Amino acid sequence: MERFKKYALLVLVVVGLMMPMVAEARGYRVDEIANVQVADRMHFVSNPDGILSRDAVATLDSICYSLKERGLAEVAIVVVSSIDPDDPFTFAVDLFEKWGVGNEKADNGLGILLVDDVHEIRFVTGYGLEGVLPDARCVQLQHEYMLPHFRDGDYDRGMVEGLRAIDTLLSSGELEGVTNSEEE
């Protein structure tokens, strides 16, 4: 019986170690991405495939923490190689709704999903942020601050500069070089 327990434990460990490889091979499902906030309220970036460097994750976590502490936004960032199903918009909405990103009363959540294999980034905003971050502004921020670096393969710089621009915009309501599309 003792031998069976050891064998069963070994099988569980091997299967547990293989799960991330299986998820990566077919793409993550919503329920397979860990909400890092559950384990540590100082962390906001889920980076299971290591696409971002530790330094970039630390910088992003710091900016996200600052936004939350100032009551401007509650941000969750997910960076993965692949998702299943492969519709980033629906995946992002489902994931960030499941996690409950944002203050329930202020509805100030911002979810950012980067999916490497389809070269796509999606922002999901709560209604409380839509005045400052409407869809057109989010796309504009992506094009101006993030995508140029992503095209060069520098996900770290693109994510950090994009989130810094969002921080500036949420802090002041303005961002040099980016005009409010509703004012045009």
Side-chain angles (χ1 to χ4, degrees), residues 2-3 40-41 51 91 98 122 132 141 146 171 177:
E2 188 65 32
R3 187 175 178 180
D40 185 340
R41 66 179 202 90
I51 293 170
F91 189 95
K98 177 184 176 199
R122 288 290 180 167
V132 179
L141 288 165
M146 302 172 104
S171 297

Side-chain angles (χ1 to χ4, degrees), residues 11 13 72 74 81 104 120-122 134 145 163 180:
V11 168
V13 168
L72 297 174
E74 292 189 13
S81 296
E104 191 173 333
E120 196 160 334
I121 186 163
R122 288 290 180 167
Y145 293 93
L163 193 59
N180 187 339

Side-chain angles (χ1 to χ4, degrees), residues 64-119:
C64 291
Y65 183 78
S66 173
L67 286 166
K68 182 177 181 178
E69 285 299 300
R70 291 180 286 149
L72 297 174
E74 292 189 13
V75 182
I77 300 171
V78 174
V79 180
V80 292
S81 296
S82 181
I83 58 172
D84 180 32
D86 63 355
D87 171 28
F89 176 75
T90 302
F91 189 95
V93 169
D94 292 347
L95 177 67
F96 297 127
E97 279 184 4
K98 177 184 176 199
W99 286 6
V101 175
N103 176 290
E104 191 173 333
K105 189 174 182 178
D107 201 6
N108 64 343
L110 170 61
I112 301 173
L113 172 69
L114 173 65
V115 184
D116 186 34
D117 72 340
V118 293
H119 306 288

